[in-house]
Amino acid sequence: MPSVITGSGARRAAAGAAVRRATARDAKRLTGLVRNSRAYQGQYAAMVAGYTVGPDYIESHRVFLAADGGTDAVLGFYALIVEPPELDLMFVSDAAQGRGIGRLLAGHMTAEARAAGLDSVRVVSHPPAEGFYRSVGARRVGTVPANPPAVLWDRPELVFPIGGAFDPAGSPAA
């Protein structure tokens, strides 16, 4: 059953968004979100050119999406790999940017990781997304060097600590 987020503060922006497990039927919509992301235009376009979020990927990983409760439009999604623990993908649609969907997904991912018994989750970030990940509790631990021809730039490496409570409004709880 999807979790519907309501409430106050940062959560209010995501009110009406339901997070649910993605299915193979969602593959085309998730692929479209990745390929059409403004965050991957210009110098970063090569990273997602031809990228596919296929049905097999969705079936074999913990892929969750946030959908508009009224229209079922995909607002964003993430993919959590449990072994080794890594946030493999996280995208928010351009139209949903600034509405709290990324925070909603980060909080959901953290809860999923905790339920899976993980101590931490690694993320190799798209450089412009580092600030977002840090704002939702990830800590920078290093840099992953460029790997031409696929990736032509260094990327921040961050870790989400999972052990304690997580405050989806922005930072790990004390």
Side-chain angles (χ1 to χ4, degrees):
M1 172 170 235
S3 55
V4 177
I5 303 301
T6 59
S8 62
R11 291 186 194 174
R12 183 169 294 153
V19 177
R20 67 166 173 83
R21 187 87 184 237
T23 67
R25 291 186 322 264
D26 297 311
K28 286 183 182 180
R29 295 194 302 167
L30 301 185
T31 295
L33 197 154
V34 170
R35 289 185 185 176
N36 295 315
S37 173
R38 280 193 313 253
Y40 283 88
Q41 292 178 349
Q43 71 175 349
Y44 300 115
M47 184 77 176
V48 297
Y51 193 90
T52 301
V53 181
D56 291 345
Y57 181 89
I58 292 170
E59 300 276 332
S60 62
H61 298 295
R62 295 176 187 222
V63 180
F64 288 86
L65 63 82
D68 182 287
T71 66
D72 198 40
V74 175
L75 305 172
F77 77 98
Y78 75 87
L80 175 65
I81 297 174
V82 175
E83 186 57 42
E86 184 166 2
L87 177 61
D88 189 38
L89 300 168
M90 180 180 276
F91 281 83
V92 173
S93 74
D94 294 339
Q97 294 283 327
R99 293 177 40 198
I101 301 303
R103 287 187 183 283
L104 171 67
L105 291 170
H108 190 277
M109 181 279 299
T110 303
E112 277 294 309
R114 187 175 300 112
L118 303 178
D119 293 327
S120 63
V121 174
R122 174 183 187 245
V123 60
V124 177
S125 176
H126 176 48
E130 178 182 4
F132 164 75
Y133 287 121
R134 291 171 62 119
S135 79
V136 293
R139 298 182 187 132
R140 184 159 185 168
V141 295
T143 301
V144 175
N147 184 19
V151 181
L152 303 174
W153 54 88
D154 294 344
R155 294 169 291 159
E157 179 180 15
L158 302 105
V159 170
F160 281 95
I162 303 300
F166 180 80
D167 173 6
S171 62

